[in-house]
Amino acid sequence: MQDKIRCKWCVGDPLYEEYHDKEWGRPVRDDSVLFEFLILETFQAGLSWITILRKRENFRNAFRNFDYQKISGFDEEKITELMNDAGIIRNQLKIRAAVSNANAFIEVQKEFGSFSKYIWSFIDGIPVDNYPRTLADIPATSPLSDHVSKDLKKRGFKFVGSTVIYAHMQATGMINDHVADCWTRNR
């Protein structure tokens, strides 16, 4: 697909291009996938997304395929094991946040029936299309991501600042930030 025009942030790296073409910006309503992206985005805080993508399979293995039920039960022994896993980002605060977020995720499911219903309710289930012309038109945060971030924090989630949440909403198709001439923008 070299002849396709893509968002410039992914151009030149086959892994990035594949992620862009097949996943980024596609609406996700499956709780398991939403949780995976939430965990990956929280680990990405302060790092590049390509770093996380390159370690994604390692994260899947370490975090039991992002099974939030299993992660919610991780004990100190498991946290120590993860701290020694060179295949992931070995940040103790982020690892502990993954466990805490799994528990908060389950609580949101209990309250709303699913995390998907909860998170998509912020936009009435309809993706926001910012229709950016260039990468310069894409913000790192928005009033929406500020609002969602505050609500998540109130519910006990960690490492869910506005920038992380904006990226999560982009990745899961809640926000369409494919630039105007990107071949995937209207798929």
Side-chain angles (χ1 to χ4, degrees), residues 25 27 119-120 122-123 126-128 168-170 172-176:
I119 200 78
W120 280 89
F122 287 96
I123 56 171
I126 301 166
V128 174
H168 184 264
M169 291 189 297
Q170 287 175 309
T172 60
M174 292 178 66
I175 294 175
N176 183 354

Side-chain angles (χ1 to χ4, degrees), residues 27-180:
V28 174
R29 296 180 193 271
D30 177 272
D31 273 11
S32 296
V33 179
L34 287 167
F35 183 74
E36 175 180 352
F37 274 108
L38 185 64
I39 294 302
L40 292 175
E41 293 291 354
T42 60
F43 272 93
Q44 186 267 330
L47 303 170
S48 69
W49 183 243
I50 193 65
T51 299
I52 302 302
L53 279 181
R54 288 183 179 135
K55 294 179 177 277
R56 191 177 192 179
E57 286 307 312
N58 298 335
F59 274 105
R60 278 194 179 120
N61 292 330
F63 285 90
R64 301 199 175 137
N65 208 31
F66 300 105
D67 183 326
Y68 44 86
Q69 296 288 348
K70 290 178 181 173
I71 295 169
S72 71
F74 282 7
D75 58 13
E76 287 301 315
E77 184 178 331
K78 182 62 177 175
I79 290 169
T80 300
E81 178 187 319
L82 291 170
M83 283 297 299
N84 292 314
D85 186 338
I88 65 168
I89 306 301
R90 294 179 291 181
N91 179 305
Q92 187 173 145
L93 293 175
K94 291 179 180 181
I95 291 169
R96 290 186 183 282
V99 177
S100 175
N101 288 351
N103 285 295
F105 192 90
I106 291 166
E107 290 305 311
V108 166
Q109 286 180 315
K110 288 177 187 173
E111 183 177 346
F112 291 87
S114 73
F115 186 82
S116 180
K117 285 181 187 173
Y118 160 76
I119 200 78
W120 280 89
S121 73
F122 287 96
I123 56 171
D124 295 326
I126 301 166
V128 174
D129 192 342
N130 290 326
Y131 208 82
R133 299 193 55 70
T134 69
L135 286 180
D137 297 328
I138 301 173
T141 65
S142 69
L144 172 62
S145 65
D146 294 346
H147 178 64
V148 174
S149 171
K150 285 178 188 171
D151 198 75
L152 286 166
K153 287 176 183 177
K154 183 181 78 178
R155 295 173 184 282
F157 286 84
K158 312 261 189 259
F159 279 91
V160 290
S162 189
T163 302
V164 167
I165 295 308
Y166 193 85
H168 184 264
M169 291 189 297
Q170 287 175 309
T172 60
M174 292 178 66
I175 294 175
N176 183 354
D177 271 343
H178 285 283
V179 294

